[in-house]
Amino acid sequence: QVQLVESGGGLVQPGGSLRLSCAASGIIFNIYTMGWYRQAPGKQRELVAVITSGGSTNYADSVKGRFTISRDNAKNTVYLQMNSLKPEDTAVYYCNADYKAGPIEYDYWGQGTQVTVSS
């Protein structure tokens, strides 16, 4: 059974920092592209950052220079370090694991963790 369990969300003041973690089980973690997505109230889910099995990263323009995605394959965990947080970063943050084997795609989601940036 595949599980992605996020943690580290919470309430933080503007300009503050948080580190999200996503612990994966039930998958061969090191072959998956891991990503963080977020969904604010009334908005569609959007990509925040992804990291491939080889360690290449990609970020949404809105978080470049402020957020850093990383992975620890020994711990089957992906992280999102979020600095200089803004109120518009408020959302539920979801962890995603994705792997494509030819025409078959394996795609899994965590349950989400709330991040609220407010004074």
Side-chain angles (χ1 to χ4, degrees):
Q1 182 182 359
V2 178
Q3 282 192 311
L4 301 177
V5 180
E6 300 104 334
S7 61
L11 173 64
V12 64
Q13 291 187 340
S17 298
L18 282 175
R19 188 174 85 151
L20 304 183
S21 300
C22 171
S25 60
I27 60 173
I28 304 172
F29 181 80
N30 61 358
I31 68 173
Y32 276 74
T33 291
M34 300 300 298
W36 288 97
Y37 292 73
R38 67 187 180 187
Q39 187 166 19
K43 294 188 177 181
Q44 289 189 329
R45 191 174 296 189
E46 64 175 1
L47 171 71
V48 176
V50 291
I51 183 166
T52 68
S53 57
S56 298
T57 58
N58 192 31
Y59 296 90
D61 287 343
S62 59
V63 307
K64 282 181 181 176
R66 300 188 298 123
F67 291 10
T68 302
I69 189 170
S70 61
R71 65 191 297 161
D72 185 337
N73 289 338
K75 295 182 178 180
N76 286 4
T77 300
V78 62
Y79 304 97
L80 185 68
Q81 178 66 44
M82 305 186 294
N83 299 328
S84 302
L85 282 160
K86 304 175 181 180
E88 51 263 44
D89 294 318
T90 295
V92 178
Y93 284 70
Y94 296 92
C95 177
N96 174 261
D98 184 76
Y99 176 68
K100 294 180 180 65
I104 302 174
E105 183 171 11
Y106 301 86
D107 188 57
Y108 304 103
W109 292 89
Q111 81 288 352
T113 185
Q114 177 70 46
V115 172
T116 302
V117 184
S118 175
S119 55

